[in-house]
Amino acid sequence: MKYWLVMIPAIVLMSGCHHIGSLFEDAGPDVDVDSDSDSDTDTDADSDTDADSDSDTDSDSDSDSDSDSDSHSDSDSDTVCDEQDFFIEIEPARLVILQDCSGSMSTTWPHVTIALTNFLTAWTDMGIEFGFDHFPIDENCEVNSTITIDPAAGTETTIINWMNTNSPMGATPLEEAMINYQSYGYATGFPEAGVDSYLVVILDGSPNCASGDAASFTTTTASLLANNIKTFAIGFNYSNITLNAIAAAGGMPPPHNIPFNVTDSVTLQNALNDIARVAFTCVFNVLSPDASADPDNVNFYFDGVVLLRNDGCGGSGEGWQWIGSTHTQVEFCPVSCDDITDGVPPAIIAGWGCPTMVY
């Protein structure tokens, strides 16, 4: 999955409005108000006033009242839309992978490494800022004092390299690692006001350090949610009350309020893809449109085909809509959002100046 417009940079330059007629042949009837209007009312500018009673009212007078009236108001007219380029920037989301690196992971470590490599490669430049953390940090039950890799744009290769150069060891201090996220200073920008923040716990066995019972994990996870961090739980060949408690308190609606149970690199990658699609936002901030920009004169095109505005995103679930009354954010509806994240994303063009096409 590559981001559109050359692998989706965080800020995308959207090209200016294209005259609709240039994208769609025969977008409507060719009105062609030809002043030669050939209505054959022909009061004939030749005017054929010859006194003979053949007054020739055949209005070939070229006042031509038929729709071919050549005052040329047709869609081919040279009333070119006011072309104005503008930028949009994806509303960010941050996702931190909290990876179990205890000794019991030794047999499954290659599967996790493959899954994370494939997942992060596929989601590079897709608008999610990835971070990475692990536990333990030694043969005992110690955890990090700061996050391993802060969530930020362009961290995918760094995370992949870490996975390929480290090995499992030690015990499973899961709750201690999660408690770190109760502190705003532990990870830069995670959480941050106005930014969706997600923690993904990947575990293969029961916590065995000072960790508490299921009720304790419920309390810890709820405290993260109060800090605006939502939590997903993935069990690698493992599922029990600990992960159930984390997933249930993680703040996600069904079906993501129960743990993912995975068995190999493929099922783990599928689970991560599912989570990323939830985290991915199809809301974009509109940056610095021209002062003359009219929110009722903007259109988006996917692969050259107009995407209709669909307020409420009902019906087919395709299209786009403004977020709020200030017209500074635009959201692509669920089906159109899927077009972006699944398979080969469309080339997206947008511009101000052409009347908005709506459902």
Side-chain angles (χ1 to χ4, degrees):
M1 282 175 288
K2 305 301 182 193
Y3 214 48
W4 72 84
L5 287 186
V6 194
M7 302 191 47
I8 291 193
I11 300 179
V12 184
L13 172 62
M14 309 305 269
S15 75
C17 177
H18 292 268
H19 185 214
I20 293 174
S22 70
L23 290 176
F24 306 99
E25 304 241 346
D26 291 321
D30 196 359
V31 181
D32 207 20
V33 192
D34 198 293
S35 64
D36 160 49
S37 64
D38 274 299
S39 74
D40 276 349
T41 50
D42 212 73
T43 52
D44 200 339
D46 287 34
S47 71
D48 263 291
T49 53
D50 62 19
D52 94 35
S53 55
D54 183 40
S55 63
D56 216 320
T57 59
D58 100 20
S59 75
D60 194 26
S61 74
D62 279 354
S63 60
D64 210 72
S65 59
D66 82 5
S67 64
D68 197 13
S69 80
D70 237 21
S71 56
H72 223 76
S73 64
D74 75 1
S75 60
D76 252 348
S77 77
D78 293 330
T79 54
V80 178
C81 298
D82 180 17
E83 295 183 289
Q84 300 177 49
D85 293 343
F86 66 98
F87 289 90
I88 64 171
E89 180 182 58
I90 195 166
E91 182 77 359
R94 294 185 183 138
L95 189 154
V96 171
I97 297 165
L98 180 57
Q99 178 64 54
D100 177 9
C101 295
S102 62
S104 62
M105 287 290 300
S106 296
T107 57
T108 56
W109 194 253
H111 294 287
V112 178
T113 300
I114 291 170
L116 286 179
T117 298
N118 291 340
F119 165 70
L120 292 169
T121 299
W123 283 85
T124 297
D125 293 329
M126 283 293 287
I128 297 177
E129 298 178 351
F130 293 103
F132 181 83
D133 204 0
H134 72 287
F135 60 92
I137 60 171
D138 57 21
E139 293 288 349
N140 301 306
C141 289
E142 297 300 315
V143 296
N144 283 314
S145 57
T146 57
I147 190 172
T148 308
I149 301 170
D150 281 311
T155 59
E156 294 86 358
T157 299
T158 305
I159 296 171
I160 292 169
N161 288 341
W162 193 97
M163 289 296 300
N164 281 291
T165 54
N166 286 273
S167 301
M169 63 175 181
T172 311
L174 172 61
E175 188 170 22
E176 292 80 357
M178 292 178 66
I179 288 171
N180 281 333
Y181 290 90
Q182 294 177 354
S183 168
Y184 279 98
Y186 180 71
T188 302
F190 190 85
E192 180 180 328
V195 180
D196 290 336
S197 300
Y198 301 92
L199 185 68
V200 180
V201 174
I202 303 177
L203 188 74
D204 84 327
S206 296
N208 58 6
C209 290
S211 303
D213 56 13
S216 177
F217 275 98
T218 296
T219 300
T220 297
T221 308
S223 71
L224 301 188
L225 184 60
N227 250 11
N228 296 313
I229 298 174
K230 298 178 181 179
T231 305
F232 294 90
I234 299 178
F236 206 100
N237 290 313
Y238 165 79
S239 180
N240 79 352
I241 58 174
T242 297
L243 285 185
N244 290 338
I246 292 171
M252 298 306 303
H256 299 108
N257 60 341
I258 59 174
F260 292 86
N261 189 17
V262 302
T263 57
D264 55 22
S265 61
V266 173
T267 52
L268 177 55
Q269 185 179 344
N270 288 342
L272 290 168
N273 283 335
D274 190 342
I275 290 169
R277 289 190 182 98
V278 173
F280 179 81
T281 174
C282 272
V283 174
F284 286 77
N285 298 317
V286 178
L287 306 179
S288 303
D290 187 275
S292 66
D294 183 343
D296 291 322
N297 284 321
V298 62
N299 286 289
F300 292 88
Y301 301 85
F302 278 17
D303 289 335
V305 178
V306 69
L307 192 66
L308 303 182
R309 195 180 81 194
N310 182 6
D311 295 336
C313 289
S316 68
E318 298 176 298
W320 63 277
Q321 63 179 343
W322 290 111
I323 301 295
S325 59
T326 59
H327 306 108
T328 57
Q329 288 187 315
V330 62
E331 177 184 24
F332 292 107
C333 297
V335 172
S336 298
C337 186
D338 288 343
D339 289 340
I340 296 169
T341 59
D342 293 342
V344 179
I348 299 179
I349 297 174
W352 301 95
C354 300
T356 300
M357 300 183 72
V358 301
Y359 275 101

